[in-house]
């Protein structure tokens, strides 16, 4: 009795398990839907139609679409297979996959399109079957001998829009060709780079000194507010004049040394007033002496008198110094490299433009 009871229990368990598995499989099948539709049920020979395949499934399931090449069924050709379009639904829990096929036919008949079969998690699912009727082009049966002859060849006029791109590219190519030829000639000849440098003619020493004194004289603030700078600039002008006029290095000599040197080469009268100027300058620079305004003006006049008494007028027949000189420089290695690179870039640009022009001409006339 016990053995019989145990057998009944196992049998009930297996039956329940089978029912649960079948229910799960049915539930999974209900979660997958496959539908197919066609946008036109009737076509003329050569016309096209769109067949749309839609699969709705859980997002976690794996899908394998049907593998089709160039023929849907015999007589119905596949022209294009679009990329699958996937949409997420129910907050990403389900997916809707759409696949579109472009078909056509060149034989009139009624075609039966079999169901599309897809694989979801290794299980096959099928759509409904479709049908399409293909008609031939209607023929005038009442006048079978009447037909239209071949059309004459029409001349299509060429407009500016057709040739404008070719024209502008040709002009650009010619301009680049001219520039490239110029750079090639420059590189081949290696002509020197000519530079012209302007040189101001050098003034005589007394004219240069008098110009500087006029500048100092015009700065009235310098004479009143900063006598040290005033006398420093004034004596520097005189030192420079003496160096150019008499040929000794007055800039490196003291005031007494300058006076002694001048006494050797000049008369006493011409340097008498100059001695007072240098003495005043030394007192201002080293003893913080504050000269009066008329004293500053007098020393300025003494400096001008000394220059006028000792100046040497230039020879009016002497040849003036050149105001401009020409300098020739060989082109550097870097410049030659730049020329080579420029010619290379221009050559590549010309080749590309020539290809564009020839392609445009070929497409326009052939």
């Amino acid at each position: 009795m016990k053995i019989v009871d145990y057998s009944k229990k196992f049998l009930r368990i297996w039956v329940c398990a089978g029912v649960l598995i079948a229910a799960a499989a049915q539930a999974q099948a209900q979660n997958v839907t496959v539908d197919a539709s066609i946008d036109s049920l009737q076509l003329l020979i050569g016309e096209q139609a769109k067949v749309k395949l839609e699969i709705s499934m859980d997002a976690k399931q794996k899908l394998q679409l049907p593998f089709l090449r160039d023929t849907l069924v015999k007589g119905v050709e596949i022209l294009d297979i679009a990329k699958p379009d996937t949409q997420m639904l129910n907050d990403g829990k389900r997916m809707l996959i759409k696949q579109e096929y472009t078909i056509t036919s060149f034989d009139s008949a009624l075609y039966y399109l079999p169901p599309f079969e897809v694989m979801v998690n290794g299980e096959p699912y099928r759509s409904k079957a479709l049908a399409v009727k293909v008609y031939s082009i209607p023929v005038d049966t009442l006048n079978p001998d009447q037909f239209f002859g071949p059309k004459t060849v029409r001349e299509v006029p060429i407009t500016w829009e057709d040739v404008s791109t070719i024209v502008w590219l040709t002009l650009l190519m010619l301009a680049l060709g001219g520039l490239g030829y110029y750079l090639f000639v420059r590189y081949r000849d290696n002509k020197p780079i000519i530079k012209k440098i302007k040189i101001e003619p050098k003034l005589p020493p007394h004219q240069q000194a008098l110009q500087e004194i006029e500048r100092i004289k015009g700065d009235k603030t310098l004479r009143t507010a900063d006598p040290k700078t005033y006398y420093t600039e004034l004596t520097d002008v005189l030192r420079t004049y003496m160096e150019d006029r008499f040929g000794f290095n007055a800039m490196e000599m003291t005031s007494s040394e300058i006076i002694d040197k001048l006494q050797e080469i000049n008369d006493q009268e011409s340097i008498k007033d100059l001695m007072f100027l240098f003495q005043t300058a030394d007192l201002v620079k080293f003893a913080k002496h504050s000269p009066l305004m008329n004293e500053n003006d007098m020393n300025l006049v003494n400096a001008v008198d000394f220059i006028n008494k000792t100046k040497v007028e230039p020879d009016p027949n002497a040849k003036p110094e050149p105001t401009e000189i020409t300098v020739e420089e060989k082109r550097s290695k870097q410049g030659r490299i730049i020329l080579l690179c420029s010619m290379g870039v221009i050559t590549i640009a010309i080749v590309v433009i020539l290809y564009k022009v020839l392609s445009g001409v070929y497409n326009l006339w052939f």
Side-chain angles (χ1 to χ4, degrees):
M1 294 296 292
K2 292 182 177 180
I3 295 175
V4 174
D5 292 339
Y6 282 125
S7 299
K8 290 180 178 180
K9 290 181 179 180
F10 279 115
L11 181 59
R12 291 174 182 173
I13 292 173
W14 280 107
V15 170
C16 292
V19 171
L20 292 175
I21 293 173
Q26 185 178 4
Q28 183 178 4
Q30 291 177 353
N31 289 334
V32 178
T33 59
V34 182
D35 185 30
S37 61
I38 186 170
D39 62 353
S40 180
L41 299 177
Q42 297 179 354
L43 301 175
L44 289 176
I45 289 178
E47 284 188 339
Q48 299 178 6
K50 301 287 186 180
V51 177
K52 185 181 295 183
L53 176 64
E54 295 185 357
I55 304 98
S56 177
M57 52 184 281
D58 290 339
K60 296 182 179 180
Q61 292 176 318
K62 294 183 179 180
L63 172 66
Q64 183 179 349
L65 292 171
F67 182 73
L68 301 173
R69 290 183 177 273
D70 54 358
T71 303
L72 194 58
V73 293
K74 186 178 180 181
V76 179
E77 299 180 6
I78 299 176
L79 299 179
D80 182 62
I81 301 177
K83 293 181 62 177
D85 180 24
T86 303
Q87 297 180 10
M88 304 303 296
L89 306 174
N90 297 340
D91 297 330
K93 295 179 180 180
R94 290 189 63 78
M95 291 190 302
L96 179 62
I97 300 95
K98 297 179 181 180
Q99 177 79 69
E100 192 173 78
Y101 303 87
T102 303
I103 63 171
T104 189
S105 178
F106 297 96
D107 293 323
S108 59
L110 176 62
Y111 293 98
Y112 169 77
L113 306 180
F116 290 90
E117 183 177 287
V118 300
M119 303 294 291
V120 178
N121 285 348
E123 294 292 332
Y125 296 89
R126 292 187 176 186
S127 68
K128 64 182 179 181
L130 300 173
V132 61
K133 176 65 176 178
V134 180
Y135 294 92
S136 60
I137 299 175
V139 179
D140 187 2
T141 57
L142 298 178
N143 301 292
D145 297 332
Q146 183 180 359
F147 62 91
F148 298 98
K151 299 291 184 180
T152 59
V153 178
R154 296 180 59 187
E155 293 290 339
V156 180
I158 298 176
T159 63
W160 169 249
E161 293 181 356
D162 298 329
V163 299
S164 60
T165 303
I166 298 175
V167 172
W168 290 121
L169 288 178
T170 303
L171 294 176
L172 177 60
M173 182 176 61
L174 293 176
L176 290 176
L179 178 60
Y181 178 75
Y182 169 76
L183 295 177
F184 172 74
V185 172
R186 291 286 305 214
Y187 178 81
R188 183 189 61 186
D189 295 345
N190 193 24
K191 292 182 179 180
I193 301 173
I194 300 176
K195 294 182 179 179
K196 292 185 177 181
I197 302 175
K198 290 185 178 180
I199 298 178
E200 294 293 335
K202 188 177 180 180
L203 294 174
H206 68 279
Q207 293 183 10
Q208 184 69 31
L210 291 176
Q211 283 186 0
E212 291 295 324
I213 291 176
E214 284 296 325
R215 179 186 62 80
I216 297 172
K217 180 181 177 181
D219 193 351
K220 297 181 179 180
T221 306
L222 190 65
R223 284 182 288 171
T224 58
D226 192 0
K228 182 177 180 180
T229 303
Y230 170 76
Y231 278 99
T232 299
E233 292 185 6
L234 184 60
T235 53
D236 285 345
V237 171
L238 291 172
R239 291 171 186 268
T240 303
Y241 166 73
M242 296 174 193
E243 186 171 341
D244 295 336
R245 168 65 179 82
F246 300 108
F248 61 88
N249 191 7
M251 296 297 295
E252 302 297 331
M253 300 172 64
T254 63
S255 299
S256 58
E257 291 174 344
I258 292 174
I259 297 301
D260 293 340
K261 191 69 176 179
L262 289 175
Q263 287 176 347
E264 295 177 3
I265 60 178
N266 214 326
D267 59 285
Q268 296 291 332
E269 289 296 329
S270 61
I271 61 174
K272 182 177 180 181
D273 296 330
L274 190 65
M275 292 175 59
F276 179 75
L277 189 155
F278 274 101
Q279 290 175 358
T280 304
D282 289 341
L283 290 175
V284 171
K285 289 189 289 185
F286 303 112
K288 297 182 180 181
H289 173 64
S290 297
L292 300 176
M293 178 64 70
N294 60 350
E295 190 176 359
N296 295 336
D297 294 338
M298 183 182 63
N299 285 324
L300 187 68
V301 172
N302 291 338
V304 173
D305 289 341
F306 172 77
I307 294 172
N308 288 328
K309 290 179 181 179
T310 57
K311 67 181 180 181
V312 176
E313 293 291 345
D315 186 1
N317 297 323
K319 186 178 179 180
E321 295 184 6
T323 58
E324 184 177 89
I325 61 174
T326 301
V327 179
E328 294 185 358
E329 297 180 356
K330 288 291 184 181
R331 187 176 289 107
S332 64
K333 182 178 180 181
Q334 183 180 4
R336 293 174 63 85
I337 293 175
I338 292 175
L339 283 177
L340 282 175
C341 293
S342 301
M343 288 189 291
V345 172
I346 291 175
T347 302
I348 295 173
I350 290 176
V351 171
V352 173
I353 295 175
L354 181 61
Y355 172 78
K356 295 285 187 181
V357 170
L358 294 178
S359 299
V361 172
Y362 181 83
N363 294 331
L364 189 61
W365 275 281
F366 296 101

